[in-house]
Amino acid sequence: MVNNFKWNVDGFSLGKPSPSGIGGVLRNHHGHLLGMFSVPVGILDSNIAELRAIVKAIELSASNCLLHHQHLIIESDSANVISWMHKSHNHP
């Protein structure tokens, strides 16, 4: 879809909890790389790190006027975090 942008995000932790980081890659509808981030986020568990990666992608998108009013997809591999976002009453 034209004007479709997609973040692929991930969060990781070396244990529960332990040093963690987040990252993401933004691509347009042609698959061209538009941006990325990689950030240490302190001592967290992997679920919270994954959630922080999603929040970071949203923050970066909101701060970029070229992405305003565009179709934005955020893809995560965390079933837990996706469930939390769909059912706000079922999260830590």
Side-chain angles (χ1 to χ4, degrees), residues 40-88:
V41 289
I43 307 296
L44 301 173
D45 77 24
S46 59
N47 288 317
I48 301 302
E50 190 80 24
L51 182 60
R52 295 277 300 268
I54 293 169
V55 169
K56 183 69 169 177
I58 292 168
E59 290 172 346
L60 291 170
S61 298
S63 69
N64 185 330
C65 63
L66 297 175
L67 295 176
H68 291 184
H69 307 292
Q70 303 299 326
H71 185 116
L72 185 66
I73 298 166
I74 301 177
E75 187 173 271
S76 165
D77 64 354
S78 173
N80 287 337
V81 174
I82 299 302
S83 173
W84 296 345
M85 297 191 88
H86 287 290
K87 301 174 187 171
S88 61

Side-chain angles (χ1 to χ4, degrees), residues 13-36:
S13 179
L14 298 174
K16 287 199 173 225
S18 68
S20 303
I22 60 174
V25 175
L26 177 66
R27 295 185 185 275
N28 66 11
H29 64 280
H30 294 296
H32 297 137
L33 178 67
L34 300 177
M36 63 180 133

